[in-house]
Amino acid sequence: MTTVERIHVTENERQIFDLLLRAVGNFSPKTKLRVAGGWVRDKLLGQDSSDIDIAISNMFPRDFLVKLNDYLCSQGEDEVQGHVIESKPAQGKQKPPLETVKMSLYNHSIDLVHLRSDVYAGDSRIPVKVEFASPEEDAFRRDLTINSLFYNIHTGLVEDLTGRGIDDLKAGRIATPLHARDTFLEDPLRVLRAIRFGARFGFTLDEQLKEAASSEEVRVAIAGKISRERIGNEIDLMISGNRPITAVNLLSDLKLLGLVFALPASSEPAPSENCVSLCRAYMEAMWNLIQTPGLVNLSGEQIRHAMYAALLLPFRKMVYKEKKRKSAPVVNYILKVSMKRKSSDAETVRLLIYTVPRGDSYR
């Protein structure tokens, strides 16, 4: 579905699009270019976006970069420096790979990708097969309807190929293009992304999505298919975001807090019955302090540490036995093992929980 929704394109963005259109018209007139995902979503919400992903209809990103540079050279212009990021499919060396080219045009960071469909199997969230696809197929394979929108730079029009993206955006609803259960079982990281975007925009989670996200089979998939580091990265983005309380409340409502912030089997004493309520209450109190004008002036990193300290404060008295049978704070385990955060993060949060900070470092 092509819509007449208007998008404000800045002068810098227009320069980028015009150059790409001239280039592709020169070396591959049948190739179509679309801006995908976040840029379209944010523009429709009236927000600025530096996240430009160009989806190419019929060409690998690295091949496109080569032809783009050939065109630039023919026009007496400097070549574009690009970095190829390649991720092999889950099984063997099957082609084509998951490929992205990161480059810069007119001081703007751009990712080049190709329209694709993915085939999943087994216990991996990495596709076992990647194929070139139509714009419709690419839209439906994406995580959320609001992230499946395209801006066709040839026509200047928004393409809502799932038929739901713009309606969900206007309604403030987080939903998946396909059935939520199937979407999450293919790649359970999408559960955490749905929560993060829901919190970020203050949107409501679709009922089907909530039912799938809180199901036992999806919980098993989250534990089995996603690395702890990837889980930690998503939680970091939530905690560092504009609505960390909302994100934690959603995790709690979907019964995912215990899965994300997993405790060691040997921990003691057992968490109190009202542990989750305390976590939420302490976080809310900390967030209110941070948001009070003129009270504190913290950097983004200090806010992240402070919010983790508040969240994990109910675990202050809990310990567990490390491999050498030495007692250690459960807080360390949650941050270093369950979330794979840096040792410096764990140490800073531990100090905030167990000691009173001195000096001006957190004032």
Side-chain angles (χ1 to χ4, degrees):
M1 178 192 302
T2 301
T3 77
V4 292
E5 298 289 332
R6 294 186 178 274
I7 279 185
H8 172 67
V9 178
T10 67
E11 182 178 348
N12 180 252
E13 291 164 344
R14 176 55 57 199
Q15 279 185 300
I16 294 169
F17 298 160
D18 286 347
L19 170 60
L20 293 175
L21 287 175
R22 290 196 305 272
V24 79
N26 175 272
F27 63 74
S28 184
K30 292 184 179 181
T31 297
K32 302 302 178 185
L33 305 177
R34 295 170 171 84
V35 187
W39 183 89
V40 188
R41 176 200 66 223
D42 292 350
K43 288 285 186 174
L44 289 173
L45 289 172
Q47 302 176 5
D48 291 332
S49 179
S50 59
D51 180 23
I52 297 184
D53 293 352
I54 302 292
I56 309 163
S57 63
N58 59 356
M59 191 180 302
F60 284 121
R62 72 171 76 209
D63 296 333
F64 184 91
L65 178 63
V66 170
K67 292 181 180 294
L68 174 62
N69 279 329
D70 288 343
Y71 171 78
L72 291 173
C73 289
S74 73
Q75 302 299 305
E77 299 185 38
D78 293 336
E79 291 188 358
V80 174
Q81 297 300 314
H83 174 59
V84 179
I85 300 175
E86 183 176 304
S87 177
K88 290 289 195 308
Q91 295 179 1
K93 299 181 179 180
Q94 187 170 351
K95 296 291 184 178
L98 293 170
E99 182 178 281
T100 302
V101 167
K102 292 186 173 294
M103 66 179 193
S104 179
L105 277 178
Y106 300 116
N107 298 315
H108 207 115
S109 178
I110 296 172
D111 284 2
L112 297 177
V113 296
H114 67 275
L115 296 176
R116 71 175 208 257
S117 63
D118 302 331
V119 177
Y120 295 86
D123 59 356
S124 174
R125 55 176 291 270
I126 305 300
V128 295
K129 189 176 182 182
V130 179
E131 299 177 330
F132 280 103
S134 67
E136 291 82 2
E137 290 171 322
D138 188 279
F140 276 99
R141 72 155 180 92
R142 292 177 179 265
D143 56 357
L144 303 172
T145 57
I146 63 171
N147 293 338
S148 65
L149 299 164
F150 291 117
Y151 174 75
N152 188 318
I153 69 173
H154 301 266
T155 65
L157 297 175
V158 174
E159 296 173 343
D160 182 6
L161 301 175
T162 69
R164 293 186 56 185
I166 290 176
D167 285 345
D168 286 343
L169 204 59
K170 291 179 177 179
R173 181 170 50 241
I174 298 294
T176 55
L178 299 174
H179 195 286
R181 173 186 176 276
D182 297 335
T183 297
F184 292 157
L185 289 178
E186 283 183 346
D187 182 359
L189 187 68
R190 293 166 176 165
V191 176
L192 300 183
R193 285 175 55 83
I195 292 170
R196 174 161 62 86
F197 283 115
R200 173 181 169 183
F201 296 119
F203 284 6
T204 302
L205 301 188
D206 177 72
E207 288 301 320
Q208 183 194 90
L209 184 152
K210 289 195 292 185
E211 182 179 352
S214 59
S215 69
E216 181 61 24
E217 60 181 340
V218 169
R219 287 168 51 84
V220 170
I222 292 173
K225 285 189 175 184
I226 312 178
S227 71
R228 282 290 162 180
E229 183 176 9
R230 292 302 298 267
I231 290 176
N233 290 345
E234 282 295 324
I235 300 302
D236 259 4
L237 291 171
M238 295 180 200
I239 295 296
S240 303
N242 59 331
R243 293 186 179 90
I245 308 301
T246 301
V248 170
N249 286 343
L250 289 173
L251 286 168
S252 176
D253 292 344
L254 296 174
K255 300 178 176 59
L256 296 175
L257 272 183
L259 181 62
V260 170
F261 302 104
L263 301 178
S266 61
S267 60
E268 57 180 22
S272 63
E273 291 183 1
N274 63 341
C275 181
V276 172
S277 297
L278 288 174
C279 290
R280 295 164 71 162
Y282 290 146
M283 275 197 77
E284 187 169 353
M286 178 63 76
W287 186 245
N288 289 337
L289 284 174
I290 291 170
Q291 296 298 303
T292 302
L295 186 60
V296 291
N297 183 22
L298 306 182
S299 68
E301 189 74 345
Q302 289 171 332
I303 291 174
R304 184 173 70 93
H305 288 147
M307 293 303 291
Y308 272 130
L311 172 66
L312 300 178
L313 188 58
F315 302 100
R316 184 178 186 273
K317 296 182 179 180
M318 294 180 63
V319 296
Y320 76 104
K321 297 293 185 180
E322 292 183 310
K323 292 181 178 179
K324 296 181 180 180
R325 307 304 297 169
K326 180 181 178 182
S327 292
V330 160
V331 170
N332 280 15
Y333 181 94
I334 293 173
L335 291 168
K336 294 175 66 175
V337 180
S338 295
M339 297 176 61
K340 294 295 183 183
R341 299 302 85 190
K342 295 183 295 186
S343 295
S344 58
D345 285 334
E347 180 63 14
T348 300
V349 172
R350 186 188 69 80
L351 288 173
L352 286 172
I353 289 176
Y354 291 97
T355 66
V356 178
R358 296 181 179 180
D360 297 326
S361 60
Y362 276 85
R363 289 184 181 176

